[in-house]
C-alpha cells in the first residue's frame, strides 16, 4: 500500500494491551471452533470412498473450473474498474465504489434473482439473448460462472483499488516524461508494482467464488455435472446423506486452505 | 469463575426468552393454555400453517411457523433445534426424528399429489403430460433426495415420460419459483403449490399421480417446551375447520 519496497511489518517490541490479546483469542476461537465441530462429525473411515465417488469428483471438477473462470473474469473486468476508481474524482469514486460493492451486502439469493431478472429468459437483456442468439444462461455452466463472478467481483475491485492506490504516482509521471504511452505505463509500471495486492484480490475472489451458493442455486439451478458445484452438492447431500455432505464440506475446506496457503507463500510473499 | 457462576443464570434467561413470558415455568401445562408455540412444517404446508396460527392467536397462542424442506427440518430437530410440533411432507423424511427417539406416534394430517405447473403464458405450449417428454420443453424437478423429487420421478416413470430436466432444486418452492419466473417451461410440484401460486401458473395433471400420494405426518416433539400448544395446533389442523383449510389449499384428506 506504499512505495515499491514493502514496509517492514515484523513484530515490534511494544506488546498490545492484554485485553486485546484475550479478545483476539476469543475471536480466533469463534472462527475456528465451529470448524473443529465440523471435523469431529466427519465420518473419517468412509471419507475417501465418499470423495472418490463420480458425483463428488464431478462437483469438484466443476467447482474448480467455474471458480477459476469466474476469478479470471473478475480480474479482466475488475482491475480496469479499480483503475478507474483510483483516477476518478473523490466524490464520483465514492458513489461508484458504493454501487459496485452492493453485491457484497446483497443476500446472494437476491443477487441470483437480480441475475435472472437481467439474463433470464425474460430478463432485461436475456430476452434478446434468447430471441436473437438462442442463448440462455440459466441452468448452464456459463451461468454458474456469471453468478460467481457477480458475487466475487467486489472483493477483487476493493483489493485492486487499494493496491493501485498504493502505487506511487511519481513512477507513472517519470515514465510519462520518458515518453511511455498510457497503456505501456499501466502495463509495465503500475501493474508490476501493484501485483501482490492484485493477486491477493484475485485469490480472495476465487475463494469467494468457490464457496458461492445462493446466487448460483437461484440463477443457474442445480444439475449434476452442469451446475451442481461443491457447495450445491453439500446442500443436496444434507437432504439425503449428511455424512456425504460433511465429507464434501471437508473437501471444500481443504481445497481452499491449500490454495490460499500455497498462493500466499508464492505470490504474496512480498507482502509478508 | 464469575463466568461459570453466571452460566446457569444466562441459560435460565435464554430459556425464559425462548419460551415466552406468558407462561411461568412450572405452571401446570394441562390447565394453562397459550404461550409461544414453535411449529416446523414442510415448505408446502407453510400457508395453511399460518392460517391455523391465526386461529390459535384468538386462544392466546403465539405460534411461530417455520416452513422449509422436510429433510432440513428433520435434520434441525435431530440437531436440537427447539420446536414443539413438526409436520413433514413424507413419512421417510420424519424417520430420523423417530429413530432418534425425539417423537413417537405420528398422526397423518393431509395428503398431496404431484402435478406439472406451467407458466401462465405457457411459452412451450405444454397442454398435456405427454408434452413434458418433448426435448424442447425445459423441466425443473426437485432433487431425488427430496420427497417431491422422489414422487415426481416415480410418477413420470410410471407414465413412461422422460423429461428434459434442466435443474434439480432442493425444495418444491424453488421449483415453483423457476416456473413462476418463466425460466423453465414446466416444473413438477404438489397440487397445493400450483394452486397457491394463483394465476401465475397453470396446472397440468400427471396421469397416475393419484396412485402415488404423499402423506404428511405430524408429531409433537418429546422435548417440546409447549406440548399443550403443539397439541392445540394439531387439534385445529385435524378438525373439520382444518380439513377445510387444507382442502381449500389443494391438499387431499389424510
Amino acid at each position: 500500500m506504499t512505495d515499491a519496497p514493502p514496509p517492514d511489518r515484523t513484530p515490534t517490541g511494544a506488546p498490545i494491551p492484554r485485553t486485546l490479546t484475550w479478545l483476539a483469542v476469543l475471536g480466533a476461537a469463534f472462527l475456528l471452533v465451529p470448524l473443529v465441530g465440523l471435523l469431529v462429525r466427519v465420518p473419517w473411515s468412509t471419507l475417501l470412498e465418499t470423495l472418490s465417488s463420480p458425483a463428488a469428483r464431478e462437483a469438484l471438477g466443476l467447482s474448480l473450473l467455474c471458480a477459476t473462470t469466474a476469478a479470471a473474469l473478475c480480474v479482466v473486468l475488475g482491475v480496469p474498474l479499480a483503475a478507474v476508481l483510483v483516477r476518478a474524482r473523490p466524490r464520483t469514486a465514492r458513489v461508484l465504489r458504493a454501487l459496485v460493492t452492493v453485491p457484497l451486502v446483497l443476500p446472494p439469493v437476491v443477487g441470483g434473482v437480480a441475475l435472472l431478472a437481467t439474463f433470464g429468459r425474460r430478463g432485461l437483456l436475456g430476452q434478446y439473448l434468447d430471441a436473437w442468439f438462442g442463448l440462455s444462461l440459466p441452468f448452464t455452466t456459463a451461468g454458474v460462472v456469471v453468478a460467481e463472478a457477480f458475487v466475487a467481483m467486489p472483493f477483487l475491485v476493493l483489493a485492486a483499488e487499494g493496491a493501485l492506490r498504493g502505487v506511487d504516482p511519481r513512477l507513472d509521471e517519470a515514465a510519462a516524461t520518458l515518453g511511455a504511452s498510457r497503456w505501456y505505463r499501466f502495463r509495465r509500471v503500475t501493474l508490476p508494482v501493484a501485483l501482490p495486492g492484485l493477486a491477493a484480490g484475485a485469490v480472495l475472489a476465487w475463494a469467494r467464488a468457490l464457496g458461492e451458493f445462493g446466487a448460483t442455486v437461484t440463477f443457474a439451478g442445480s444439475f449434476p455435472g452442469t451446475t451442481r458445484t461443491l457447495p450445491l452438492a453439500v446442500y443436496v447431500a444434507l437432504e439425503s446423506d449428511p455424512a456425504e455432505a460433511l465429507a464434501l464440506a471437508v473437501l471444500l475446506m481443504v481445497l481452499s486452505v491449500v490454495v490460499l496457503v500455497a498462493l500466499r507463500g508464492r505470490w504474496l510473499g512480498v507482502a509478508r | 469463575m464469575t463466568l461459570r457462576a453466571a452460566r446457569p443464570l444466562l441459560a435460565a434467561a435464554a430459556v425464559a426468552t425462548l419460551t415466552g413470558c406468558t407462561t411461568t415455568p412450572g405452571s401446570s401445562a394441562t390447565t394453562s393454555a397459550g404461550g409461544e408455540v414453535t411449529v416446523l412444517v414442510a415448505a408446502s404446508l407453510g400457508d395453511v400453517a399460518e392460517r391455523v396460527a391465526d386461529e390459535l392467536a384468538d386462544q392466546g397462542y403465539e405460534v411461530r411457523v417455520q416452513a422449509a424442506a422436510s429433510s432440513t427440518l428433520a435434520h434441525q430437530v435431530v440437531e436440537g433445534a427447539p420446536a414443539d410440533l413438526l409436520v413433514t411432507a413424507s413419512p421417510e423424511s420424519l424417520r430420523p426424528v423417530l429413530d432418534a427417539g425425539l417423537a413417537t406416534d405420528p398422526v397423518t394430517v393431509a395428503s398431496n399429489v404431484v402435478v406439472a405447473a406451467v407458466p401462465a403464458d405457457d411459452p412451450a405450449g405444454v397442454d398435456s403430460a405427454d408434452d413434458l417428454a418433448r426435448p424442447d420443453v425445459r423441466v425443473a424437478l426437485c432433487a431425488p433426495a427430496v420427497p417431491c423429487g422422489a414422487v415426481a420421478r416415480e410418477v413420470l416413470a410410471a407414465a413412461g415420460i422422460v423429461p428434459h430436466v434442466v435443474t434439480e432444486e432442493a425444495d418444491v418452492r424453488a421449483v415453483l419459483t423457476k416456473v413462476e419466473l418463466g425460466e423453465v417451461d414446466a416444473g413438477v410440484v404438489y397440487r397445493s403449490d400450483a394452486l397457491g401460486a394463483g394465476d401465475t401458473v397453470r396446472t397440468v395433471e400427471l396421469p397416475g399421480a393419484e396412485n402415488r400420494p404423499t402423506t404428511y405426518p405430524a408429531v409433537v416433539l418429546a422435548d417440546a417446551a409447549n406440548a399443550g400448544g403443539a397439541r392445540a395446533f394439531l387439534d385445529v389442523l385435524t378438525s373439520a375447520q382444518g380439513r377445510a383449510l387444507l382442502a381449500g389449499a389443494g391438499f387431499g384428506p389424510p
Side-chain angles (χ1 to χ4, degrees):
Chain A
M1 308 258 166
T2 56
D3 300 335
D8 182 14
R9 290 193 203 149
T10 47
T12 50
I16 61 168
R18 187 156 293 177
T19 317
L20 288 193
T21 314
W22 282 113
L23 286 174
V25 169
L26 207 59
F30 176 63
L31 293 178
L32 295 178
V33 172
L35 299 186
V36 175
L38 186 68
L39 291 177
V40 167
R41 282 286 181 86
V42 170
W44 296 104
S45 55
T46 56
L47 187 69
L48 278 182
E49 193 187 329
T50 308
L51 293 185
S52 57
S53 74
R57 286 214 304 265
E58 201 171 49
L60 172 65
L62 188 65
S63 272
L64 289 175
L65 172 73
C66 290
T68 308
T69 315
L73 188 63
C74 286
V75 169
V76 169
L77 300 178
V79 172
L81 187 52
V84 168
L85 282 174
V86 171
R87 288 282 171 264
R89 285 207 304 273
R91 190 190 286 173
T92 317
R94 264 205 301 277
V95 174
L96 198 57
R97 191 183 303 119
L99 290 177
V100 162
T101 47
V102 163
L104 268 184
V105 291
L106 208 61
V109 174
V110 179
V113 173
L115 287 173
L116 276 179
T118 310
F119 298 111
R121 223 164 31 158
R122 294 177 180 176
L124 215 54
L125 307 175
Q127 53 182 321
Y128 303 110
L129 287 179
D130 191 44
W132 296 347
F133 309 107
L135 270 177
S136 178
L137 280 175
F139 314 124
T140 62
T141 306
V144 177
V145 172
V146 168
E148 290 183 351
F150 179 76
V151 174
M153 187 126 78
F155 288 88
L156 181 108
V157 172
L158 290 185
E161 194 197 344
L164 292 175
R165 223 173 257 290
V167 178
D168 191 338
R170 284 171 301 180
L171 291 175
D172 192 56
E173 286 159 19
T177 59
L178 295 174
S181 71
R182 283 189 196 186
W183 179 241
Y184 187 87
R185 267 143 49 205
F186 183 74
R187 215 158 41 83
R188 301 301 295 269
V189 179
T190 311
L191 270 189
V193 176
L195 194 59
L198 295 180
V203 171
L204 198 61
W206 180 85
R208 180 64 188 88
L210 188 70
E212 216 304 304
F213 173 75
T216 308
V217 78
T218 309
F219 180 59
S222 171
F223 198 79
T226 317
T227 57
R228 187 171 293 162
T229 54
L230 269 179
L232 273 61
V234 169
Y235 190 70
V236 169
L238 268 180
E239 304 293 320
S240 55
D241 185 358
E244 187 192 343
L246 288 172
L248 291 172
V250 166
L251 179 61
L252 196 58
M253 270 166 59
V254 169
L255 192 65
S256 47
V257 168
V258 164
V259 170
L260 290 181
V261 169
L263 289 187
R264 248 196 109 66
R266 186 184 254 277
W267 285 8
L268 318 180
V270 201
R272 188 169 41 234
Chain B
M1 249 352 217
T2 47
L3 245 183
R4 188 174 300 172
R7 197 174 294 161
L9 263 180
L10 283 173
V15 167
T17 321
L18 281 175
T19 52
C21 301
T22 44
T23 49
T24 40
S27 68
S28 59
T30 44
T31 52
S32 80
E36 200 166 276
V37 191
T38 304
V39 176
L40 310 180
V41 297
S44 45
L45 268 178
D47 295 337
V48 171
E50 293 289 356
R51 301 276 294 275
V52 174
D54 291 343
E55 292 297 323
L56 282 172
D58 302 337
Q59 300 177 33
Y61 289 105
E62 193 190 324
V63 181
R64 300 189 330 171
V65 174
Q66 190 189 324
S70 296
S71 29
T72 305
L73 294 174
H75 194 62
Q76 286 172 344
V77 167
V78 169
E79 293 293 335
D84 301 308
L85 185 72
L86 171 67
V87 190
T88 64
S90 73
E92 296 85 57
S93 50
L94 184 64
R95 192 161 299 141
V97 176
L98 300 177
D99 288 348
L102 294 170
T104 52
D105 306 324
V107 181
T108 302
V109 294
S111 66
N112 217 338
V113 296
V114 288
V115 298
V118 177
D121 61 352
D122 196 6
V126 178
D127 299 319
S128 74
D130 290 333
D131 287 330
L132 293 183
R134 278 173 23 210
D136 62 315
V137 173
R138 307 206 292 187
V139 178
L141 299 181
C142 290
V146 199
C148 63
V151 174
R153 280 169 180 76
E154 280 180 38
V155 169
L156 289 171
I161 298 167
V162 183
H164 172 213
V165 179
V166 293
T167 182
E168 298 177 343
E169 300 289 329
D171 65 56
V172 67
R173 293 282 156 144
V175 172
L176 192 63
T177 304
K178 297 282 195 288
V179 176
E180 289 181 292
L181 290 170
E183 292 300 336
V184 293
D185 302 311
V188 178
V189 299
Y190 293 119
R191 183 192 298 287
S192 61
D193 297 297
L195 207 63
D199 294 338
T200 58
V201 305
R202 202 163 50 78
T203 297
V204 174
E205 301 291 332
L206 295 177
E210 66 283 355
N211 300 328
R212 184 61 179 84
T214 179
T215 56
Y216 290 67
V219 286
V220 177
L221 295 167
D223 296 335
N226 192 350
R231 272 189 289 274
F233 189 96
L234 206 48
D235 285 345
V236 174
L237 198 58
T238 51
S239 69
Q241 187 191 9
R243 291 277 146 78
L245 274 178
L246 286 164
F251 292 91

